[in-house]
Amino acid sequence: MRAGRARPLRAADMKKDVRILLVGEPRVGKTSLIMSLVSEEFPEEVPPRAEEITIPADVTPERVPTHIVDYSEAEQSDEQLHQEISQANVICIVYAVNNKHSIDKVTSRWIPLINERTDKDSRLPLILVGNKSDLVEYSSMETILPIMNQYTEIETCVECSAKNLKNISELFYYAQKAVLHPTGPLYCPEEKEMKPACIKALTRIFKISDQDNDGTLNDAELNFFQRICFNTPLAPQALEDVKNVVRKHISDGVADSGLTLKGFLFLHTLFIQRGRHETTWTVLRRFGYDDDLDLTPEYLFPLLKIPPDCTTELNHHAYLFLQSTFDKHDLDRDCALSPDELKDLFKVFPYIPWGPDVNNTVCTNERGWITYQGFLSQWTLTTYLDVQRCLEYLGYLGYSILTEQESQASAITVTRDKKIDLQKKQTQRNVFRCNVIGMKNCGKSGVLQALLGRNLMRQKKIRDDHKSYYAINTVYVYGQEKYLLLHDISESEFLTEAEIICDVVCLVYDVSNPKSFEYCARIFKQHFMDSRIPCLIIAAKSDLHEVKQDYSISPADFCRKHKMPPPQAFTCNTAEAPSKDIFVKLTTMAMYPEDHYRDRLSRDMGNTDRIENLRKIWVFLKTAFHARLRCMCTCNRCTFCICQNFLNSDLLQSVKNKIFTAVLNRLRARVAEWGAMMLAKDEGRITHQVHAVSSVEDSVFMESSHGPLCLEARHVTQADLKSSTFWLRASFGATVFAVLGFAMYKALLKQR
């Protein structure tokens, strides 16, 4: 494995800029070094101190802005020096190779002074700079090497000449490199091996890159690793050269033509020892690590905007990645992850993310091992409830690296606002939340476990400290695979706002407990009676003897009154897996809530619509009556004016309102007596009543032009005498008769 051309680092991978401070004894050439770098020639006149120099990012090799700061003991105080040290990222201690006094000051003054101003755990990297190498014919390295071995914070030593421009650019490159690619977090010079934190990070990188989980990196995996880190593949001969280097130094570094973990770690140790630790840093930063070898927040928690009333789900690409992850660790190919296989999967995590309750949240096999479907369900649950944690977990698994995406956010689908789904009467969601509400010990846990296909016998084996308040599994609705998420809501007097938010509500009561249903009815009236959230009542433990509930009406009548589906009998005390019919019904209600609401609304408003039709008929008849008796005057003495005044009088309006109220009460009584299945019959009877009323008013219109009022006997049948409709029509006829009689009386008086 060779370094190649390093992949361009992201903004989150490195510092925003580098600040280099030059210190040392007077007249060692600090200012000359800076001016020679800037002007590329030795200055004839050197000022006491150079101004701060800023080198743009596009000029530096690492593409990072660099600030170079000079220090002058003659012009600056100790406080200013201390401030400059605290602001610096790297410090170059300059000495003159021909001046032994300046070399001695490196250890007697400058290194102690700098270390006093920095924490022991975060020491500044130091570069020893031997200037004026043009004045001597020997090297100072023999004197400097013991100092470098004594102080681990010293990154390197460079001998240079400001006059001859020797190693000037290299000096500042190494200073910049010491900041961006420090040796300290990676390597321990005393023990000549990598530090534990570095070994841990590189081990995780190896396990992520080992995509077939066989313990070695084959040629394809090495090429993929090389490409994502350095933007260039390795030639076949280069791959063999890498393996030969490893074989030469360690015996178990290569196995079955693949690079083992030991070989992988050895290569990076070799890079660091040869001064190429930028190669190791490029790999570490590509996999999300910062200078302290911790995964960065930007890597683990990429920005993801979630508007209100929207949910989060995994998309198709995420499920494909999780499928490959499951297959990678399912070594025995039994479509379930054993405890050892699950532990191996979580080795790339800093902690074990799943507790024992997960085994009672998703599907498992007979041995209690999480199945393939359960594995995907748990990830779906995490995404829905806590998407930030899901992003974190995907980051540990290396999702963005292996899928070559910008971040884990590309694995998440943010659903559209639920209000839009209601408007369009269709949903694009695949996960639906159902809150399961009921008294303690009413059977809610049984409902949750039944979703996972567990009967009462299997549920009794669950330990109390391993119980879960969630259950999630797939349900098929009209051939579509959807996820139903059940949440057990603890019993309380009032539900919180978070406990109300869901797609469908499941109200559970125990048929053998007479006090169980009252809680469901109270919660429904408090929170869901006037909402658009569909509700379904479950009569749990239906295999037991059913007792009368201590409530004003029965559960069936309660559902009928509030236009809900009848209570669904349910039991998990079965030989095989419990029935999933109620879960299909709950998912269907969650997918199409508007249909459920519209059914409730149409049942509730059906009678009102009929009364409104009667009102429209009244207005129509009133208008027609006026048209038949059209009069152009406003004398208030003619028949038309008298009838007009009477029709607008308070007396007639009061009679009319009483008629409508009586009809409405009669219709409601019929609905309560016959139920929803007899609505069609009610409509026919209402139509008959309206026709009867129309016949009476038609007779009024006929009488106004053909003679005295005559109530035809054919409208009065034996059935009418036994119903209130007869009295309604009789009172209406009497009212009309009084109006016309009074009109005729006034007409006769006028003629006389």
Side-chain angles (χ1 to χ4, degrees):
M1 180 174 53
R2 64 181 181 184
R5 180 178 175 81
R7 168 185 166 272
L9 297 178
R10 298 172 297 181
D13 293 336
M14 60 173 63
K15 297 181 182 296
K16 293 182 179 179
D17 52 17
V18 174
R19 190 175 182 87
I20 303 172
L21 174 64
L22 275 68
V23 299
E25 294 301 298
R27 307 187 66 81
V28 294
K30 301 184 297 295
T31 308
S32 299
L33 289 172
I34 297 174
M35 298 188 68
S36 295
L37 174 70
V38 175
S39 62
E40 297 184 353
E41 62 180 4
F42 184 72
E44 295 296 335
E45 295 183 3
V46 180
R49 176 176 176 264
E51 296 294 330
E52 179 178 324
I53 304 298
T54 300
I55 303 176
D58 55 355
V59 177
T60 62
E62 296 293 344
R63 304 294 178 183
V64 177
T66 303
H67 308 277
I68 302 175
V69 181
D70 189 13
Y71 166 71
S72 173
E73 188 172 347
E75 292 193 357
Q76 292 178 283
S77 64
D78 290 343
E79 290 184 2
Q80 290 176 313
L81 173 61
H82 297 161
Q83 185 178 3
E84 291 291 353
I85 291 174
S86 63
Q87 293 176 348
N89 302 122
V90 58
I91 297 178
C92 295
I93 303 176
V94 183
Y95 64 91
V97 295
N98 63 341
N99 186 341
K100 190 177 184 304
H101 174 74
S102 65
I103 298 177
D104 293 338
K105 285 292 185 179
V106 170
T107 55
S108 63
R109 179 188 180 189
W110 292 109
I111 294 180
L113 176 64
I114 294 169
N115 288 342
E116 286 176 2
R117 301 295 166 180
T118 57
D119 296 332
K120 185 176 181 180
D121 297 332
S122 57
R123 291 282 171 83
L124 286 175
L126 304 179
I127 306 292
L128 299 185
V129 181
N131 193 20
K132 303 184 179 181
S133 63
D134 60 294
L135 299 180
V136 297
E137 296 180 356
Y138 57 87
S139 173
S140 63
M141 294 306 295
E142 292 184 2
T143 308
I144 296 300
L145 280 176
I147 300 175
M148 294 180 63
N149 293 331
Q150 181 181 357
Y151 296 96
T152 58
E153 55 266 36
I154 299 176
E155 291 286 330
T156 188
C157 176
V158 181
E159 288 190 346
C160 59
S161 171
K163 186 174 183 179
N164 296 340
L165 305 182
K166 176 185 174 182
N167 289 339
I168 300 299
S169 299
E170 287 77 3
L171 158 64
F172 293 100
Y173 167 72
Y174 285 126
Q176 187 184 64
K177 182 179 172 182
V179 177
L180 301 179
H181 311 298
T183 307
L186 307 181
Y187 190 75
C188 181
E190 292 88 353
E191 300 179 4
K192 296 184 178 180
E193 61 182 24
M194 287 190 297
K195 292 185 176 180
C198 183
I199 294 175
K200 182 179 178 181
L202 291 173
T203 301
R204 170 181 169 268
I205 293 171
F206 178 88
K207 292 190 67 66
I208 291 174
S209 303
D210 183 16
Q211 299 184 44
D212 56 7
N213 201 28
D214 64 350
T216 62
L217 297 182
N218 56 38
D219 290 356
E221 292 167 344
L222 281 172
N223 258 315
F224 180 79
F225 174 84
Q226 179 76 14
R227 181 168 56 81
I228 62 173
C229 291
F230 304 103
N231 284 334
T232 178
L234 282 174
Q237 186 58 46
L239 281 172
E240 283 302 316
D241 293 342
V242 168
K243 295 175 187 176
N244 289 333
V245 170
V246 176
R247 287 190 188 102
K248 183 178 178 181
H249 290 84
I250 54 175
S251 58
D252 52 354
V254 178
D256 299 328
S257 300
L259 192 66
T260 65
L261 175 60
K262 284 188 176 180
F264 185 75
L265 295 176
F266 167 76
L267 278 178
H268 284 282
T269 304
L270 198 61
F271 289 145
I272 297 170
Q273 289 175 344
R274 294 182 177 180
R276 295 170 56 189
H277 39 276
E278 68 272 11
T279 301
T280 301
W281 274 116
T282 300
V283 172
L284 289 168
R285 287 182 173 133
R286 178 66 181 94
F287 281 78
Y289 289 94
D290 60 12
D291 289 350
D292 298 322
L293 297 183
D294 294 322
L295 291 171
T296 64
E298 293 81 6
Y299 171 79
L300 290 177
F301 307 103
L303 181 63
L304 181 67
K305 294 182 179 179
I306 306 173
D309 294 331
C310 297
T311 59
T312 48
E313 301 175 1
L314 294 170
N315 57 32
H316 177 66
H317 299 291
Y319 281 118
L320 288 178
F321 172 78
L322 293 173
Q323 178 183 349
S324 65
T325 302
F326 183 91
D327 293 339
K328 171 181 175 179
H329 295 276
D330 183 19
L331 300 178
D332 54 8
R333 298 293 182 264
D334 62 347
C335 291
L337 294 179
S338 68
D340 289 339
E341 290 171 339
L342 202 61
K343 185 178 179 181
D344 183 59
L345 187 152
F346 291 138
K347 281 184 178 178
V348 296
F349 286 64
Y351 54 88
I352 302 297
W354 293 355
D357 61 314
V358 172
N359 294 60
N360 300 313
T361 304
V362 298
C363 292
T364 60
N365 61 12
E366 294 296 331
R367 304 175 70 177
W369 298 354
I370 296 176
T371 63
Y372 168 72
Q373 184 58 55
F375 182 76
L376 296 183
S377 297
Q378 178 62 24
W379 279 95
T380 303
L381 172 71
T382 305
T383 307
Y384 187 92
L385 296 180
D386 191 350
V387 68
Q388 292 299 320
R389 179 162 297 185
C390 176
L391 293 173
E392 178 187 0
Y393 292 172
L394 288 174
Y396 293 141
L397 291 174
Y399 174 84
S400 61
I401 292 115
L402 296 178
T403 59
E404 301 184 70
Q405 299 291 330
E406 183 66 25
S407 70
Q408 299 88 267
S410 61
I412 307 300
T413 295
V414 179
T415 64
R416 67 187 181 187
D417 194 325
K418 194 173 182 179
K419 300 185 188 68
I420 300 178
D421 287 346
L422 294 174
Q423 292 172 359
K424 294 183 176 292
K425 300 179 182 178
Q426 61 180 359
T427 183
Q428 299 174 341
R429 301 187 182 198
N430 294 309
V431 185
F432 299 94
R433 177 170 180 166
C434 171
N435 284 354
V436 183
I437 301 173
M439 289 182 63
K440 188 177 182 179
N441 298 324
C442 70
K444 293 181 293 180
S445 299
V447 174
L448 266 68
Q449 293 302 310
L451 177 64
L452 308 179
R454 298 170 184 167
N455 57 19
L456 186 61
M457 187 68 66
R458 291 187 62 185
Q459 294 178 27
K460 289 181 178 179
K461 299 178 182 179
I462 301 175
R463 292 171 47 179
D464 289 341
D465 56 338
H466 291 177
K467 287 185 178 180
S468 172
Y469 289 96
Y470 291 95
I472 183 171
N473 200 1
T474 54
V475 178
Y476 284 88
V477 177
Y478 303 130
Q480 302 179 57
E481 184 184 61
K482 303 294 182 182
Y483 281 95
L484 179 63
L485 167 59
L486 300 182
H487 181 201
D488 183 352
I489 304 297
S490 301
E491 179 183 357
S492 61
E493 289 298 319
F494 296 96
L495 302 183
T496 64
E497 185 177 352
E499 293 173 335
I500 297 174
I501 298 174
C502 60
D503 299 303
V504 61
V505 175
C506 178
L507 298 165
V508 182
Y509 76 96
D510 181 359
V511 298
S512 63
N513 182 357
K515 301 184 181 299
S516 182
F517 179 74
E518 186 275 336
Y519 178 77
C520 294
R522 176 159 48 85
I523 291 297
F524 174 81
K525 289 183 176 181
Q526 286 177 353
H527 301 287
F528 303 108
M529 186 168 65
D530 298 323
S531 74
R532 291 198 170 193
I533 301 176
C535 300
L536 185 67
I537 293 181
I538 303 297
K541 305 181 183 180
S542 61
D543 58 303
L544 302 179
H545 175 67
E546 184 174 1
V547 299
K548 186 178 183 301
Q549 296 293 318
D550 293 343
Y551 194 67
S552 57
I553 58 177
S554 67
D557 291 339
F558 183 87
C559 293
R560 192 179 301 117
K561 178 180 178 181
H562 294 284
K563 316 303 183 293
M564 290 192 299
Q568 306 291 304
F570 174 79
T571 179
C572 54
N573 189 11
T574 57
E576 303 296 331
S579 172
K580 290 192 175 183
D581 292 344
I582 63 167
F583 305 119
V584 175
K585 190 173 186 66
L586 286 168
T587 309
T588 306
M589 294 169 68
M591 289 177 63
Y592 307 103
E594 191 62 24
D595 292 347
H596 176 80
Y597 175 76
R598 191 164 54 248
D599 290 343
R600 289 181 59 187
L601 191 63
S602 62
R603 294 172 190 169
D604 194 41
M605 297 298 295
N607 296 333
T608 306
D609 291 342
R610 296 184 181 93
I611 299 305
E612 184 63 25
N613 290 337
L614 288 177
R615 292 185 183 275
K616 292 179 180 178
I617 293 173
W618 169 266
V619 175
F620 171 77
L621 295 177
K622 182 177 175 182
T623 305
F625 185 54
H626 289 180
R628 296 290 295 274
L629 300 175
R630 183 176 292 113
C631 178
M632 301 303 293
C633 72
T634 56
C635 62
N636 288 328
R637 293 190 300 272
C638 65
T639 302
F640 171 77
C641 292
I642 293 173
C643 292
Q644 174 80 2
N645 293 337
F646 187 78
L647 288 171
N648 292 329
S649 66
D650 294 338
L651 174 62
L652 193 59
Q653 295 297 326
S654 176
V655 172
K656 180 183 71 173
N657 291 334
K658 289 181 179 180
I659 292 173
F660 291 142
T661 302
V663 173
L664 177 61
N665 292 336
R666 181 62 180 171
L667 291 173
R668 287 177 175 171
R670 289 292 180 87
V671 171
E673 180 181 356
W674 294 337
M677 300 301 295
M678 300 298 293
L679 284 176
K681 185 174 179 180
D682 281 344
E683 292 177 359
R685 187 156 188 84
I686 294 169
T687 304
H688 175 72
Q689 295 170 4
V690 173
H691 287 169
V693 175
S694 300
S695 299
V696 174
E697 291 223 21
D698 285 342
S699 67
V700 175
F701 302 150
M702 294 294 292
E703 182 60 26
S704 63
S705 56
H706 296 290
L709 175 67
C710 179
L711 296 174
E712 296 181 357
R714 66 177 179 270
H715 293 298
V716 183
T717 64
Q718 193 67 24
D720 291 328
L721 291 173
K722 296 180 181 180
S723 65
S724 62
T725 55
F726 169 78
W727 300 108
L728 293 175
R729 286 183 288 160
S731 60
F732 186 85
T735 303
V736 175
F737 180 83
V739 171
L740 295 180
F742 183 76
M744 293 176 64
Y745 173 74
K746 292 290 293 185
L748 291 174
L749 287 179
K750 185 177 180 180
Q751 290 178 0
R752 291 180 181 179

